[in-house]
Amino acid sequence: MGKEFKRSYKFAFYTSLFITLFTTILLAVHEVLFSEFSLPYVLGFAVTVYCFAFLIIQLRIEHFIYKRVKAVYDNVSLLDSSSLQEQQVTTDMATLKREVEKFAEGKKLEIETLKIRENYRKEFMGNVSHELKTPLFTVQGYILTLIDGAIKDKKVRDKYLDRASKGLDRLIYIVKDLDMITKLETGDLHLVEEEFDIVELVESVFDLLEMKAHKKNISLTFDIDYDDPIFVYADKDKIQQVVTNLVVNSIKYGKSGGTTEVSIEDLIKNKVIVRITDNGEGIEQKNIPRLFERFYRVDKSGSRKEGGSGLGLSIVKHILEAHHEKIYVESDFGVGSEFSFTLEKGKHVTPLKNAAVKA
């Protein structure tokens, strides 16, 4: 309701015209029957009546509409009468109706958005509670068992302390990820961008996750031999976290004896695209739109066994958005998945094979 309405004079014009005609005819009849008829006198009377009637009707109608519409605003809790200014009221009822309907529709959308956010908040709080209570109860159980006397048995004590330590590590991991994603979402995370070799970074991630992949008999490999460095410009630590999270996911959902393959290709003149492909269990199409939501899990039972905070892909998305880059997903259920993301090229340009965005 904040914009200036157009002012309409149609109602006042015709109403004043009817009143003028009626009163002028009465005056003319009276003049003919009871006195001498004077045309200038009658015309002057008509003009005076018309102007007077027009002004009174126009002003009174506008005031009438303002009072009635304001009463509607006051009585309907969704509307705010403070947004209705007297100078904005119009006698063009079609315009007024459209604007009120537009205002009400906007409020309806706001309510629906708030409901979606409330449901999301409830789901998020439930997920946080579930993620935290599992390691908390586990640690509590081990400590209480030790307090009850198990601490005297060295073998049991060492085993339970080791398990409690792992539970605390998981809690710390979840809290760190929550802190990270909060900073990313609020824009408080400062990026330290620099030029670095993306091939070297991927190799370091492979070295870091070699044991994890070996346990599932999964090979970590490049699609080809990259003999020359490929320089990109980004926050090295954050991009390492992106690559690590994506490779960890490919291992987590990969098949025993499978492969996680990384390729780096030219996308456009100043961009490269990094693809991480696996031949694991894949993702059903219905799950893909929600992959990057916090705590969303495709296979809830399987992912629990593998651990993780449930925030990995959400963090990946936010880190790349902070770099103004894109992430893509392609997956065939039962065949495998491919996650790919773009990065800005560094000044040291190395010729690469060309790529087409598959997602």
Side-chain angles (χ1 to χ4, degrees), residues 2-59:
K3 76 174 189 177
E4 187 78 21
F5 292 147
K6 70 176 183 179
R7 190 179 292 269
S8 174
Y9 301 99
K10 187 182 294 185
F11 178 83
F13 174 82
Y14 286 111
T15 305
S16 301
L17 185 62
F18 294 147
I19 292 172
T20 301
L21 288 173
F22 180 73
T23 55
T24 302
I25 290 171
L26 285 178
L27 178 65
V29 171
H30 180 274
E31 289 289 300
V32 170
L33 295 176
F34 300 104
S35 63
E36 184 179 350
F37 180 81
S38 172
L39 182 61
Y41 174 75
V42 172
L43 290 176
F45 174 81
V47 171
T48 302
V49 169
Y50 180 84
C51 293
F52 183 76
F54 181 86
L55 290 174
I56 293 298
I57 292 170
Q58 181 69 22
L59 293 175

Side-chain angles (χ1 to χ4, degrees), residues 160-179:
Y160 279 21
L161 285 174
D162 181 61
R163 291 180 179 178
S165 176
K166 289 179 180 178
L168 288 173
D169 287 342
R170 176 161 165 71
L171 276 173
I172 293 169
Y173 184 71
I174 293 171
V175 171
K176 282 184 176 179
D177 276 359
L178 279 171
D179 181 59

Side-chain angles (χ1 to χ4, degrees), residues 116-128:
I116 292 171
R117 288 181 179 176
E118 177 64 13
N119 290 334
Y120 181 75
R121 184 191 66 80
K122 289 178 180 178
E123 184 179 350
F124 173 69
M125 294 304 295
N127 285 329
V128 170

Side-chain angles (χ1 to χ4, degrees), residues 321-334:
E321 286 180 347
H323 284 82
H324 305 290
E325 301 293 349
K326 302 287 186 181
I327 183 164
Y328 307 93
V329 186
E330 250 195 13
S331 186
D332 291 323
F333 188 63

